[in-house]
Amino acid sequence: MRIREINAMRGPNYWSVRRHKLIVMVLDLEEMEEKPSNKIDGFKERLEKMFPSMFAHRCSVGEPGGFFQRVEEGTWMGHIIEHIALEIQTLAGMDVGFGRTRGYGEKGVYNVVFAYMEESVGRFAAKVSVDICQALIDGKDYDLSDDIQRMRELREEERLGPSTGSIVEEAAARGIPWIRLNKYSLCQLGYGANQKRIQATVTSETSSIGVELACDKEDTKYLLEQAEVQTPRGDIIRRESSLEEACRYVGFPLVVKPVDGNHGRGITVNIKNYDDALIAFRSAKESSKSGAIIIEKYIVGDDYRLLVINNKLVAAAVRTPAHVIGDGKSTIQQLIDEVNKDPRRGYGHENVLTQITVNDLTLSIIKANGYTLNSVLEKDKRLLLKDTANLSTGGTAEDVTDIVHPANVFMAERISKIIDLDICGIDVMTTDISKPLEETGGAVLEVNAGPGFRMHLAPTSGLPRNVAAHVIDKLFPQGSTSRIPIIAVTGTNGKTTTTRLISHLAKMKGYKVGYTTSDGVYIQNRLLMKGDCTGPASAEFVLKDPTVNFAVLECARGGLLRAGLGFHKCDIGIVTNVAADHLGLKGIHTIEQLAKVKGVIPETVLPEGYAILNADDDLVYDMRKSVNCNVALFSMDENSPRIKAMQKLGGISAVYENGYITICRGEWKLRVIKAVNVPLTYGGRATFMIQNVLPAVIAAYVKGFSIDEIKIGLETFIPSPAQTPGRLNLFQFKDFQVLLDYAHNPAGMRALQKFIENIDATVKVGIIAGVGDRREEDTNEIGSIAADMFDEIIIRQDKHLRGRTEDELIGMLDAGIKKKDPNKKTTIIPNEKEAATFAIKNAIKGALIVICSDVIPDALDLVQKLKEEEANKLYEFSTDDIPNK
């Protein structure tokens, strides 16, 4: 068995799964194809012994034990690997359940698809599941423990923390899209110009002054004292020589902590003598960046955390450090082990509570209390194991929100404004939070920027509080939006032109547009990324940009199959057409399968949005059956029964009728412009360009553009290397014309053929090439179409070999040409630059040279350079005729 490739799906994909992040593994079973599970002696028994919990897998049988029933009957190894990948993730604390295994279209090769929570874990599980299955086949032992632990570690390295995760989950629950911006906790909520950012529990609206104040305990203490907030008596020192005087001033017991500390680092509490104070001072120094140390009165009581969001108290918890309680029989180590057996405790942040780890601090605390790990703790004796109550070190928390005294609520909300924090955690020490601090002698110990939410989201006891909801309420108040308009365009041909035209219409309307195409990513018409940018990474690039308030995204099959989409939902999904192209790749072997891939785009449209579909294409028209949104149709035939049916339903359509680009709302016609007046259509001769205009016009109309705005946009969209690079770029040389076009598949070639039929020329010369990842019959067909289109053909082949040789592709094209016309004049010049240069240098008067190129920037540069050379020669010739004075 071998893995051909592993891809991670982050969004919707051709498996039509909307709620999962998926690993897609292409698995070549080789000789295992002939050995299903029931043909391997002892396989089922070994599998049951290794994974007894798999009995819960219902599989397609639909009942517990269904998977083992399938194994006994005989099933593909790919199917078994799918279930192993799911089970080992579940054993590592990531409960995932979705999986599918399907044929790839090649004998013995399968698509194995399964869900993941964290991508690195999913990829690891894919590889390990194959190794485990092979060991089971070979009858070898396999120890899972290291793999399970590694998956836990990978999850902790990659996952969002509980605070960030809760905010993201709340946003997602409200339909707010999000993007992770780095490998830590910086996340974007919303898209483009309407985005907000969070990093843990610091938001893009958090005051930087407030954060600086909270991080500087000296300034915080000073401001709170000035505001008459109860704080412990204290002093701030920097030198060890000042410690003794500070201890006398504050008085024992006291607390020592760094001014700029966090997460409890360098803090020592309940210090009762100078010697211990000296040790604590040196420890605090190690954790302090500034060197400033707080010497503060130790307040007796419980440790409370008050959480204030948007200047409102939303949660409160009493925290207890990690501890054990003696039973008079067990050692301290045994008591710790027993506490860690609590199923709520896990590795890192995977569970509600964290396991208690024994480190140097723990050992020093145990020693200071006169014990060792092997000491038997007296019955009912409570021994603290940490000096802070953080949950991340094994502490516990109890929700007390409902009993906080109104005076303490008022105090907490006032402090949030004094320190100027939109989200802040206030640490209070008191014997009873249900009474005012003045009565209990309690005090505010510190104010935290970016406080953890874990203790409030899932307290050890008490009511969980959805504190993340208050963050989202603040970032996106009622009436605001997190989204920007997103128009996604797919299809076999016409995607780029349609994308560029819609982007132009939106720009003319006043939007700041970001768009992706097969030649690059543009932000406000500035090319920021070059190359084929039709995948999810390019879409995210646009949606991350805070200057963009309108996105138009070209979505090609490759990105969809490899990694899904770079967005969750779109406002408009356009499918221009579906034709045979790149079949035989990524398990897509038929045009029907290709249509299923393209159909993902309309399926992701928001319910109130529009799927704009080509009514003249049967496969595209059928996509209306699987969408959950409004449907609009376009057609080159106003009398199409499909258009008539849509009109009777009162729907929106666009047609080409009586020479007009026309929008129909029901049976009412709104004529936009005559096609001959749309520069993109070359006076109406380029009918396939009219077909590209129709969905763009609908998209603009349903987004609220007026007819006049659409008309002006169409009139000002001039086909040129700048506006439509590589799409019918016509260059007028002195005695001949050069047409550059991206036609790269049979459907595109036929559309181009119809256009050049309307161009008069003494001779029509075509420069064509094949692409290595197409089927042989498709490449043959391109040759045959070219034989119909051109009087002379030049075959070039220096790019996109993709697994084939240059000679193979040239041979396929030549075979297609010869099949159509054995006497067609054909020249082979493999290098594109040399081929184009040869054709232009040898062009006769009145010729039309058509360059079909799939590397547009290079071809454009070459043609423009040759045109400039001709212009310079003409200029030199004309100046030679001017007599000298």
Side-chain angles (χ1 to χ4, degrees):
M1 288 186 285
R2 68 185 180 92
I3 299 172
R4 283 192 184 177
E5 61 178 294
I6 300 174
N7 293 311
M9 291 283 185
R10 299 174 184 83
N13 54 83
Y14 79 105
W15 293 87
S16 297
V17 177
R18 294 292 171 264
R19 62 190 182 278
H20 302 287
K21 297 184 290 185
L22 301 176
I23 292 295
V24 180
M25 174 170 54
V26 181
L27 185 63
D28 192 338
L29 297 183
E30 299 177 349
E31 74 278 1
M32 293 310 303
E33 167 66 8
E34 303 303 324
K35 292 184 180 179
S37 54
N38 62 344
K39 298 297 184 183
I40 301 172
D41 291 340
F43 181 84
K44 177 175 177 286
E45 291 72 21
R46 291 192 291 273
L47 183 65
E48 288 178 327
K49 182 179 179 182
M50 191 171 190
F51 297 107
S53 52
M54 272 193 182
F55 185 78
H57 291 213
R58 306 171 71 89
C59 202
S60 57
V61 178
E63 59 185 38
F67 170 63
F68 283 128
Q69 184 178 325
R70 291 286 308 279
V71 174
E72 190 169 9
E73 293 168 353
T75 188
W76 301 321
M77 285 300 150
H79 180 210
I80 292 169
I81 287 168
E82 165 209 323
H83 279 267
I84 292 175
L86 293 171
E87 186 62 19
I88 59 177
Q89 288 184 87
T90 301
L91 292 173
M94 288 154 277
D95 191 7
V96 289
F98 178 85
R100 294 287 185 272
T101 300
R102 296 290 184 268
Y104 191 73
E106 298 176 29
K107 184 177 175 62
V109 182
Y110 299 91
N111 262 318
V112 179
V113 180
F114 59 86
Y116 68 87
M117 287 186 176
E118 305 299 336
E119 183 178 326
S120 61
V121 177
R123 289 180 179 273
F124 183 84
K127 295 173 183 176
V128 167
S129 60
V130 174
D131 294 340
I132 292 171
C133 191
Q134 189 65 61
L136 288 167
I137 291 167
D138 297 339
K140 296 178 180 178
D141 291 336
Y142 192 100
D143 186 357
L144 276 175
S145 55
D146 288 345
D147 291 336
I148 298 299
Q149 180 58 26
R150 181 57 185 150
M151 283 190 282
R152 286 174 173 158
E153 292 169 359
L154 286 171
R155 183 189 192 187
E156 290 305 304
E157 290 170 9
E158 185 173 322
R159 70 179 291 182
L160 293 171
S163 300
T164 313
S166 69
I167 298 172
V168 164
E169 287 172 11
E170 179 64 24
R174 299 188 188 193
I176 297 171
W178 66 280
I179 301 172
R180 190 170 184 172
L181 298 178
N182 65 10
K183 64 179 182 179
Y184 303 108
S185 57
L186 181 62
C187 294
Q188 172 184 319
L189 307 179
Y191 286 147
N194 291 328
Q195 68 179 268
K196 304 290 184 181
R197 292 183 180 180
I198 60 168
Q199 183 161 272
T201 59
V202 175
T203 78
S204 49
E205 297 183 355
T206 299
S207 161
S208 60
I209 293 177
V211 173
E212 286 188 20
L213 282 173
C215 292
D216 188 326
K217 293 178 174 59
E218 182 177 6
D219 279 350
T220 299
K221 186 175 175 64
Y222 176 76
L223 286 177
L224 294 182
E225 286 176 346
Q226 295 298 305
E228 294 296 326
V229 174
Q230 287 75 22
T231 58
R233 187 174 188 177
D235 195 5
I236 295 176
I237 62 175
R238 286 176 170 77
R239 295 184 299 277
E240 195 175 296
S241 58
S242 304
L243 178 62
E244 189 171 358
E245 181 180 348
C247 289
R248 281 198 301 270
Y249 168 70
V250 174
F252 295 106
L254 50 80
V255 177
V256 175
K257 57 186 176 182
V259 164
D260 49 4
N262 55 38
H263 297 295
R265 296 187 186 96
I267 299 176
T268 309
V269 301
N270 199 18
I271 300 167
K272 298 177 180 177
N273 56 65
Y274 178 75
D275 289 340
D276 289 343
L278 188 59
I279 294 171
F281 177 87
R282 291 169 180 168
S283 173
K285 269 285 190 183
E286 292 177 3
S287 301
S288 174
K289 295 177 182 177
S290 65
I293 307 300
I294 295 176
I295 311 298
E296 195 171 73
K297 185 70 176 179
Y298 177 63
I299 305 297
V300 177
D302 294 317
D303 183 353
Y304 289 90
R305 165 63 63 84
L306 308 181
L307 179 64
V308 180
I309 298 176
N310 201 18
N311 307 126
K312 296 291 182 183
L313 180 76
V314 299
V318 58
R319 302 181 294 175
T320 305
H323 64 278
V324 291
I325 298 174
D327 60 6
K329 299 179 290 185
S330 305
T331 66
I332 293 172
Q333 181 64 65
Q334 289 170 335
L335 292 171
I336 293 172
D337 294 340
E338 190 62 31
V339 170
N340 282 337
K341 289 179 182 177
D342 186 337
R344 294 175 300 171
R345 292 189 183 271
Y347 179 82
H349 292 148
E350 71 178 1
N351 287 344
V352 174
L353 297 173
T354 299
Q355 291 193 344
I356 300 171
T357 57
V358 176
N359 55 17
D360 290 342
L361 173 63
T362 307
L363 293 173
S364 66
I365 292 173
I366 293 172
K367 182 179 179 181
N369 281 275
Y371 301 105
T372 70
L373 284 173
N374 294 320
S375 301
V376 174
L377 196 61
E378 301 93 315
K379 185 173 175 55
D380 298 327
K381 171 74 175 180
R382 181 182 179 188
L383 176 64
L384 298 183
L385 301 171
K386 306 290 181 182
D387 57 2
T388 61
N390 293 17
L391 267 67
S392 58
T393 60
T396 58
E398 177 187 355
D399 178 75
V400 293
T401 307
D402 294 331
I403 65 169
V404 180
H405 193 278
N408 295 334
V409 173
F410 169 76
M411 174 198 70
E413 294 175 351
R414 182 167 172 256
I415 288 172
S416 73
K417 291 188 176 183
I418 292 169
I419 304 302
D420 190 22
L421 284 174
D422 59 342
I423 302 174
C424 71
I426 301 166
D427 291 340
V428 175
M429 187 70 73
T430 180
T431 54
D432 189 350
I433 198 69
S434 68
K435 296 178 181 177
L437 293 192
E438 304 95 277
E439 294 183 15
T440 63
V444 174
L445 304 183
E446 64 183 58
V447 179
N448 299 274
F453 285 178
R454 188 180 178 193
M455 71 188 78
H456 309 296
L457 296 165
T460 315
S461 60
L463 190 67
R465 306 285 172 169
N466 183 11
V467 294
H470 298 278
V471 177
I472 300 300
D473 288 342
K474 181 182 190 307
L475 294 176
F476 300 100
Q478 191 171 5
S480 66
T481 180
S482 63
R483 304 182 59 85
I484 61 173
I486 298 175
I487 299 178
V489 183
T490 194
T492 302
N493 295 304
K495 299 186 297 294
T496 300
T497 301
T498 304
T499 296
R500 284 180 168 276
L501 177 55
I502 295 170
S503 301
H504 176 76
L505 293 171
K507 186 186 76 169
M508 296 295 290
K509 174 78 170 172
Y511 285 106
K512 293 179 171 63
V513 185
Y515 62 97
T516 65
T517 70
S518 56
D519 54 81
V521 177
Y522 296 78
I523 303 295
Q524 298 184 53
N525 267 20
R526 292 186 179 272
L527 178 61
L528 297 185
M529 291 176 66
K530 291 183 179 180
D532 187 348
C533 296
T534 55
S538 302
E540 279 198 353
F541 183 92
V542 169
L543 299 174
K544 287 177 185 176
D545 195 294
T547 69
V548 170
N549 60 12
F550 197 105
V552 189
L553 308 173
E554 180 181 344
C555 303
R557 65 184 296 284
L560 280 166
L561 291 170
R562 183 180 63 256
L565 295 170
F567 55 89
H568 299 282
K569 292 286 185 180
C570 59
D571 299 86
I572 294 174
I574 296 173
V575 187
T576 58
N577 47 60
V578 178
D581 191 23
H582 297 291
L583 297 180
L585 294 177
K586 302 281 186 183
I588 303 302
H589 298 272
T590 68
I591 193 170
E592 289 76 19
Q593 289 176 322
L594 182 60
K596 193 171 180 65
V597 177
K598 304 289 186 183
V600 167
I601 296 301
E603 289 175 21
T604 61
V605 176
L606 291 161
E608 65 273 18
Y610 277 84
I612 301 176
L613 306 176
N614 185 348
D616 300 334
D617 187 310
D618 293 344
L619 291 172
V620 177
Y621 180 67
D622 282 347
M623 292 177 189
R624 76 195 190 284
K625 299 174 183 177
S626 59
V627 302
N628 182 32
C629 63
N630 299 302
V631 174
L633 301 176
F634 64 95
S635 173
M636 295 294 288
D637 177 14
E638 70 163 322
N639 295 312
S640 163
R642 294 167 178 176
I643 293 295
K644 292 295 185 183
M646 173 62 76
Q647 290 173 345
K648 288 186 182 299
L649 292 172
I652 294 174
S653 57
V655 294
Y656 178 49
E657 55 89 24
N658 293 321
Y660 281 92
I661 305 292
T662 300
I663 296 171
C664 301
R665 191 170 194 105
E667 296 181 345
W668 292 99
K669 291 182 179 178
L670 302 170
R671 284 182 169 172
V672 180
I673 189 173
K674 277 194 171 184
V676 295
N677 295 327
V678 179
L680 186 61
T681 70
Y682 286 88
R685 290 177 295 171
T687 55
F688 63 94
M689 284 298 189
I690 298 174
Q691 191 178 55
N692 293 335
V693 170
L694 294 174
V697 164
I698 297 177
Y701 182 72
V702 299
K703 290 310 294 181
F705 294 31
S706 70
I707 297 297
D708 283 342
E709 288 170 334
I710 297 170
K711 181 175 181 290
I712 291 169
L714 294 176
E715 289 174 336
T716 55
F717 188 70
I718 312 297
S720 64
Q723 288 272 44
T724 57
R727 275 71 183 177
L728 290 191
N729 296 154
L730 192 60
F731 297 88
Q732 185 66 57
F733 283 70
K734 180 176 180 292
D735 294 322
F736 58 91
Q737 297 179 92
V738 175
L739 179 66
L740 176 63
D741 194 76
Y742 186 62
H744 62 293
N745 56 45
M749 291 289 286
R750 289 193 191 93
L752 181 61
Q753 180 181 13
K754 289 181 181 178
F755 175 67
I756 68 170
E757 282 173 355
N758 297 316
I759 298 178
D760 292 329
T762 55
V763 63
K764 295 177 181 178
V765 181
I767 301 175
I768 65 171
V771 178
D773 58 6
R774 283 200 186 90
R775 299 176 304 177
E776 182 174 351
E777 57 264 39
D778 295 331
T779 306
N780 291 156
E781 189 175 358
I782 287 175
S784 295
I785 297 169
D788 263 345
M789 293 172 64
F790 305 116
D791 302 305
E792 300 176 15
I793 299 173
I794 298 174
I795 301 176
R796 61 94 183 163
Q797 196 62 61
D798 57 339
K799 298 180 177 75
H800 301 305
L801 299 179
R802 296 175 183 171
R804 296 189 188 271
T805 67
E806 194 174 275
D807 290 341
E808 281 178 319
L809 288 170
I810 291 172
M812 291 176 196
L813 288 168
D814 194 45
I817 295 168
K818 294 291 190 290
K819 182 179 179 181
K820 192 73 177 179
D821 185 352
N823 300 315
K824 181 68 65 176
K825 183 179 178 181
T826 305
T827 306
I828 297 172
I829 305 176
N831 182 274
E832 182 180 47
K833 181 177 180 181
E834 292 175 5
T837 303
F838 173 83
I840 291 172
K841 295 286 188 184
N842 292 280
I844 66 172
K845 189 170 184 176
L848 172 66
I849 298 167
V850 180
I851 304 174
C852 299
S853 177
D854 46 9
V855 185
I856 297 305
D858 294 349
L860 275 174
D861 288 345
L862 175 62
V863 175
Q864 288 172 324
K865 180 182 177 182
L866 292 171
K867 195 171 188 309
E868 288 169 10
E869 287 178 2
E870 182 191 67
N872 289 336
K873 286 180 180 178
L874 289 172
Y875 174 76
E876 290 170 5
F877 176 78
S878 63
T879 54
D880 286 344
D881 290 341
I882 300 174
N884 293 324
K885 292 184 180 179

